[in-house]
Amino acid sequence: MGSWSVEHSTTDPNVYNIHHQTFNSSPLPSNPEEWIKRATQVREILAEDVTVRDQENKTPVAEIALLKSSGLTRVLGPAKYGGGEQSWEVGYKVIREIAKGDGSLGMLLGYHLLWTWTANVVGTDEQKDRTQKLIIENNYFVGAAVNPRDNDQKIVDDGDHIVFSGFKNFNTGGVVSDLTVLEGVYEGTDKHIFALVPTNQPGIQFAHNWDNVGLRLTESGSVKIDNVRAPWTDALGWDPKTKAPIESILQIPYATLLLPTPELNQYNTHSIQLVFSNFYLGIALGALSFATKYTVKNTRPWPYTPKPAENGVSEFHILSRYGSFFAHLRAAEALADRAGAVIANVYATYSDQRNKLSARERGEAAEWVASVKVVATDTGLQVTQGVFETTGARATARGVGLDRYWRDIRTHSLHDPVAYKQTELGRFALLDEVPEPTWYT
């Protein structure tokens, strides 16, 4: 847990004791199907009281504990350290499944899995192994103070250590994390450094000011970083002796698969943008499932028409809308699965030969991810706002909770303008241009 600068109410981990006992007495899933089944179990638990928790807006300590005990936080980790050693293809589906029941927890799990992978992409082999051992053996939850639009976080050299200081407006999951990924600019240069540090220390100060319309349980508020130290040996992809970036790790296209290449200030859509798209889809699928049950049980037919339907589920316009929602979500899922397979294959092919990934291959993978982002955003918003037309006026009651699906997607879909993804895809389709890596492409 992070050190808190103000009092803030939290959920009680004991509420899930029976589930902790069940998961702790069971082995980890051993194949993709079992991992999705485990995610479904957790999704059903979270869905039971999600509307109340969304309204109360308490720090989700209990829910993170549930993700941990279920093993989902370790789905990608090496088996030798107690992880599931699954591919990102499975990881994306697990994120999507959790988001069906609770969009905030789907987002938190997605960000955690992303940050656990940091050293795998921009670290040395030794840093990669050491970081995975630390996270998986201790079942740590990982947050991050990384936001490219807040560029005031600086790093200074202090002998065998680097020292981070600055401020980030957004810090998803940091409050409930054990480790925090820090990022900043090294003094006197334009080069970025990433390092993982313990969250529970005086220099990491959370404002607890996340009170937005959607994704209310993600603890995405601001954080102040005040003289937080990390050894040079933890500066990912940097040589601790020369105190310089290792070009063979950071100045190649592979380094942009996850995080900014410190030399070029580049951030990529691949892993993180596909995390976004999968929890958007999960939220939209959750909305469809919730709305269909509500319609079957509660929605009444419209009586003031020449041929009134016998019941709500016989209304032609309701059937038509649900058919459209279903078709669009089925297509979006198929696209997301294809993109997930592309990214998983890139990691599987090049993780042991990072310098072999070409800029063209990296760019073509990026366009799969951009395609999903466009479709998931459009479809997610269409479904989560459209279900009110199939459920009726009574479904707008606060206690029903149908509104949270739209609020969740609307909030996060403003993260980076989807119009730029469309333009990027237009250049690819029209001019055969793959995107140059930036913080968002």
Side-chain angles (χ1 to χ4, degrees):
M1 278 325 140
S3 54
W4 299 350
S5 54
V6 295
E7 290 294 324
H8 195 259
S9 58
T10 69
T11 55
D12 180 4
N14 291 323
V15 301
Y16 297 122
N17 272 348
I18 188 171
H19 302 298
H20 294 316
Q21 293 168 11
T22 299
F23 290 135
N24 289 332
S25 63
S26 304
L28 284 182
S30 60
N31 57 56
E33 292 74 23
E34 290 181 2
W35 278 103
I36 301 303
K37 182 178 179 181
R38 176 66 58 87
T40 300
Q41 291 176 297
V42 177
R43 181 254 295 172
E44 291 172 347
I45 296 168
L46 292 171
E48 290 176 2
D49 62 347
V50 62
T51 298
V52 173
R53 289 187 292 103
D54 176 80
Q55 293 170 0
E56 292 178 342
N57 194 27
K58 293 181 179 180
T59 299
V61 173
E63 292 68 36
I64 296 302
L66 180 65
L67 292 180
K68 287 182 174 184
S69 69
S70 71
L72 296 182
T73 50
R74 293 175 283 153
V75 62
L76 301 179
K80 65 180 180 179
Y81 297 132
E85 203 162 319
Q86 297 298 302
S87 69
W88 264 106
E89 190 174 2
V90 176
Y92 291 130
K93 292 178 181 179
V94 166
I95 294 164
R96 192 189 312 167
E97 191 66 25
I98 294 299
K100 292 178 185 178
D102 186 327
S104 290
L105 270 294
M107 176 176 166
L108 285 171
L109 178 61
Y111 274 57
H112 159 79
L113 293 177
L114 173 81
W115 299 125
T116 65
W117 205 254
T118 308
N120 292 43
V121 178
V122 297
T124 64
D125 288 341
E126 184 276 333
Q127 288 172 329
K128 168 184 172 181
D129 187 70
R130 174 161 51 89
T131 301
Q132 286 297 318
K133 186 176 190 295
L134 174 68
I135 294 171
I136 302 305
E137 285 190 346
N138 293 284
N139 201 11
Y140 281 157
F141 192 83
V142 185
V146 177
N147 189 310
R149 302 193 71 182
D150 296 329
N151 59 5
D152 65 335
Q153 186 148 282
K154 308 302 180 186
I155 302 171
V156 298
D157 178 28
D158 186 21
D160 292 335
H161 288 73
I162 52 178
V163 182
F164 291 82
S165 294
F167 178 83
K168 296 290 183 180
N169 280 295
F170 300 104
N171 171 234
T172 293
V175 172
V176 289
S177 70
D178 302 295
L179 297 175
T180 293
V181 178
L182 295 181
E183 168 272 328
V185 179
Y186 185 39
E187 62 175 339
T189 75
D190 60 353
K191 304 181 190 304
H192 292 243
I193 300 178
F194 288 80
L196 281 83
V197 301
T199 304
N200 188 12
Q201 56 178 296
I204 298 181
Q205 302 162 14
F206 299 106
H208 295 285
N209 56 355
W210 181 253
D211 188 19
N212 290 39
V213 297
L215 295 168
R216 290 173 54 76
L217 306 180
T218 59
E219 283 288 2
S220 294
S222 57
V223 61
K224 180 182 179 181
I225 308 300
D226 185 17
N227 292 310
V228 174
R229 299 167 61 84
W232 265 108
T233 52
D234 287 351
L236 296 177
W238 283 61
D239 186 327
K241 295 180 180 179
T242 63
K243 299 181 180 180
I246 302 171
E247 294 185 4
S248 62
I249 292 177
L250 296 177
Q251 289 187 330
I252 57 176
Y254 189 90
T256 67
L257 287 174
L258 185 77
L259 293 167
T261 297
E263 309 340 324
L264 305 176
N265 191 22
Q266 296 171 339
Y267 192 79
N268 145 276
T269 62
H270 288 38
S271 292
I272 193 166
Q273 291 283 336
L274 205 46
V275 165
F276 297 168
S277 296
N278 274 281
F279 67 73
Y280 293 0
L281 286 176
I283 293 168
L285 288 161
L288 180 63
S289 175
F290 186 99
T292 55
K293 292 181 176 66
Y294 184 94
T295 295
V296 169
K297 183 178 179 180
N298 298 296
T299 302
R300 297 177 294 181
W302 186 249
Y304 305 110
T305 182
K307 295 183 179 180
E310 292 183 5
N311 47 51
V313 297
S314 300
E315 285 279 14
F316 81 93
H317 68 92
I318 290 177
L319 293 169
S320 175
R321 291 306 298 277
Y322 275 123
S324 178
F325 298 154
F326 182 81
H328 282 83
L329 283 172
R330 175 173 278 185
E333 276 202 285
L335 179 59
D337 288 345
R338 176 64 185 275
V342 168
I343 298 305
N345 182 64
V346 169
Y347 281 130
T349 303
Y350 296 107
S351 61
D352 293 327
Q353 47 179 357
R354 304 183 198 185
N355 63 328
K356 299 295 185 182
L357 178 66
S358 70
R360 177 71 191 191
E361 288 175 292
R362 183 259 181 218
E364 289 179 351
E367 300 305 8
W368 277 105
V369 176
S371 297
V372 181
K373 181 68 178 297
V374 170
V375 172
T377 301
D378 289 350
T379 302
L381 290 172
Q382 177 191 38
V383 171
T384 55
Q385 67 188 23
V387 289
F388 286 99
E389 298 176 13
T390 60
T391 52
R394 290 179 296 169
T396 63
R398 189 164 181 258
V400 172
L402 184 59
D403 59 311
R404 68 180 173 83
Y405 299 100
W406 177 84
R407 289 189 285 106
D408 285 352
I409 294 182
R410 180 68 283 176
T411 296
H412 199 281
S413 59
L414 301 174
H415 179 278
D416 53 291
V418 74
Y420 286 93
K421 293 289 185 291
Q422 294 169 330
T423 303
E424 173 190 318
L425 288 164
R427 291 195 184 99
F428 182 63
L430 188 63
L431 305 172
D432 195 36
E433 293 180 4
V434 295
E436 290 292 328
T438 72
W439 280 94
Y440 289 95
T441 56

